């Protein structure tokens, strides 16, 4: 299939690219590199628009030679067409959808605190960007669109495990804009008969998770702290639980959605378990330091995945123990990540406490 992945140089997107290439699909990646990294793809051949990236080392063809690989191995190098574009703005990039079979829309601004501070940026990236992707997919009669939604749309759920019929109650702008994007996808599927599915991801972790300067996902914070020999900053008492879902399982769910004959449906993508933060500390090994519990965060995230198991014949395969072991095996990836202290976190999250109280 001819496929297009927005956000394909990002954490989840790059693992999806690996999977698509391993099955022989052609891949076009769109990414503005605001959080994605070309390095996430350099174990494949990459063509940047009409010219080849010329980073060392290169082979006799001028293409990149394989770099250290994380996740799914692709023994037969495949070339990726890469375009650095801003999907929040209409443009010539939309013509790249011509002839595409499957579109995977993963590009988005993430993280809670920046969304509180810069809601306009999040609206443009996550809502306007989704609108522009849908319009391009509709114009060129794309056969399937798979949207990466977020379980943050549930806010603080009333039932666990949480089914897709749970009321959505976003607690901060990031969650709201991702939910609005999903509403656009479902509306385009209904009104314009666009073949589309939406997948609500729960607490995705794994190799290549972001190492930007933004305070965010627990594993990125903890791994940088482990490298630096600092204590893990555990929010509250650490008994809160999360449905940590390994990135290769998420990529497999996205591909299963593309291959399915389901239409205009929403699916949770989770591990089927909910693990405490204290358990994560045990698996990583080391000391911990408790910091104040934050408003707007649920005590538990736990996906009901019975619907996706039934409809798409998908189920998670990677246990939390195996997933953490894989992270530790590749821990050098986080050497350049910022090391968060309790004081830095307090400064970074002051707007969180101010607005979400």
């Amino acid at each position: 299939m001819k496929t297009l992945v927005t956000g394909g140089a990002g954490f989840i997107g790059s693992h999806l690219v690996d999977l698509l290439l391993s099955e022989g699909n052609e891949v076009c990646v769109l990414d503005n590199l605001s959080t994605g990294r070309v390095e996430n793809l350099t174990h494949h051949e990459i063509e940047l628009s009409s010219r080849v990236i010329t980073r060392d080392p290169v082979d006799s063809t001028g293409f990149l030679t394989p770099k250290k690989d994380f996740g799914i191995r692709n023994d037969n190098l495949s070339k990726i067409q890469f375009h650095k574009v801003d999907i929040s703005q209409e443009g010539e990039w939309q013509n790249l959808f011509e002839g595409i079979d499957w579109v995977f829309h993963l590009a988005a601004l993430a993280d809670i605190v920046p969304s509180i501070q810069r809601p306009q940026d999040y609206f443009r990236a996550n809502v306007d960007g989704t609108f522009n992707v849908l319009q391009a997919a509709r114009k060129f009669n794309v056969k399937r669109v798979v949207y990466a939604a977020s379980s943050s749309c549930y806010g603080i759920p009333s039932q666990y495990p949480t089914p897709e019929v749970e009321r959505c109650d976003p607690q901060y702008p990031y969650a709201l804009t991702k939910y609005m994007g999903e509403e656009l996808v479902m509306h385009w599927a209904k009104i314009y008969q666009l073949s589309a599915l939406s997948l609500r991801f729960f607490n995705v972790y794994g190799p290549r998770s972001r190492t930007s300067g933004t305070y965010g996902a627990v594993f990125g914070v903890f791994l940088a702290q482990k490298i630096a020999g600092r204590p893990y900053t555990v929010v509250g008492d650490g008994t809160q639980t999360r449905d940590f879902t390994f990135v290769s399982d998420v990529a497999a769910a996205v591909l299963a959605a593309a291959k399915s004959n389901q239409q205009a449906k929403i699916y949770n993508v989770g591990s089927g378990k909910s693990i405490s933060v204290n358990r994560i500390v045990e698996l990583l090994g080391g000391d911990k330091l408790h910091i104040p519990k934050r408003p707007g965060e649920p005590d538990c995230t736990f996906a009901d995945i019975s619907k996706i198991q039934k409809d798409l014949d998908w189920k998670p395969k990677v246990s939390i123990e195996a997933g953490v072991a894989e992270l530790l095996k590749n821990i050098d990836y986080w050497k350049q990540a910022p090391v968060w202290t309790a004081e830095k976190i307090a400064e970074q999250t002051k707007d969180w406490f101010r607005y979400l109280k």
Side-chain angles (χ1 to χ4, degrees), residues 107-142:
L109 283 179
D111 295 319
I112 298 173
V113 176
S115 78
I116 297 169
Q117 298 167 336
R118 302 174 2 244
Q120 185 177 43
D121 292 342
Y122 277 68
F123 187 92
R124 287 176 174 169
N126 300 351
V127 183
D128 289 343
T130 299
F131 174 84
N132 291 334
V133 166
L134 291 172
Q135 288 292 80
R138 177 187 170 208
K139 177 180 178 179
F140 291 110
N141 298 311
V142 166

Side-chain angles (χ1 to χ4, degrees), residues 8-9 17 21 27 29 33 37-55 58 61-65 67 77-84:
V17 168
L21 291 174
V27 180
V29 170
L33 301 180
R37 301 173 60 186
V38 172
E39 290 82 357
N40 288 337
L41 300 172
T42 52
H43 49 288
H44 303 293
E45 297 177 356
I46 306 177
E47 183 176 327
L48 179 57
S49 297
S50 61
R51 61 186 177 82
V52 175
I53 296 173
T54 57
R55 282 188 53 200
V58 294
T61 68
F63 287 108
L64 291 162
T65 53
K67 305 289 282 186
L77 280 175
S78 301
K79 186 168 65 177
I80 303 165
Q81 189 182 49
F82 183 94
H83 298 266
K84 184 179 179 182

Side-chain angles (χ1 to χ4, degrees), residues 56-114:
D56 289 331
V58 294
D59 62 20
S60 58
T61 68
F63 287 108
L64 291 162
T65 53
K67 305 289 282 186
K68 184 177 180 181
D69 193 11
F70 298 103
I72 297 168
R73 176 141 184 93
N74 183 21
D75 293 322
N76 298 315
L77 280 175
S78 301
K79 186 168 65 177
I80 303 165
Q81 189 182 49
F82 183 94
H83 298 266
K84 184 179 179 182
V85 300
D86 180 1
I87 65 166
S88 70
Q89 303 292 328
E90 294 183 35
E92 291 298 316
W93 62 266
Q94 290 171 292
N95 292 326
L96 296 169
F97 285 62
E98 185 173 8
I100 294 294
D101 297 305
W102 294 341
V103 168
F104 302 94
H105 181 34
L106 280 71
L109 283 179
D111 295 319
I112 298 173
V113 176

Side-chain angles (χ1 to χ4, degrees), residues 234-256:
V234 174
V235 175
D237 62 8
T239 60
Q240 68 271 30
T241 61
R242 296 289 180 264
D243 192 333
F244 293 109
T245 315
F246 198 70
V247 66
S248 62
D249 284 335
V250 173
V254 173
L255 183 57

Side-chain angles (χ1 to χ4, degrees), residues 6-7 32 34-35 87 105-110 122 125-126 147-148 174 178:
T6 72
N32 68 359
S34 61
T35 57
I87 65 166
H105 181 34
L106 280 71
L109 283 179
Y122 277 68
N126 300 351
Y147 175 70
Y174 163 69
K178 287 298 292 180

Side-chain angles (χ1 to χ4, degrees), residues 290-320:
H290 294 280
I291 60 176
K293 185 178 179 181
R294 297 186 289 255
E297 283 193 325
D299 290 330
C300 173
T301 65
F302 187 7
D304 181 340
I305 56 174
S306 57
K307 182 179 177 182
I308 191 171
Q309 287 178 308
K310 177 178 178 293
D311 285 3
L312 304 188
D313 192 27
W314 170 89
K315 63 180 180 180
K317 297 179 179 179
V318 182
S319 68
I320 189 65

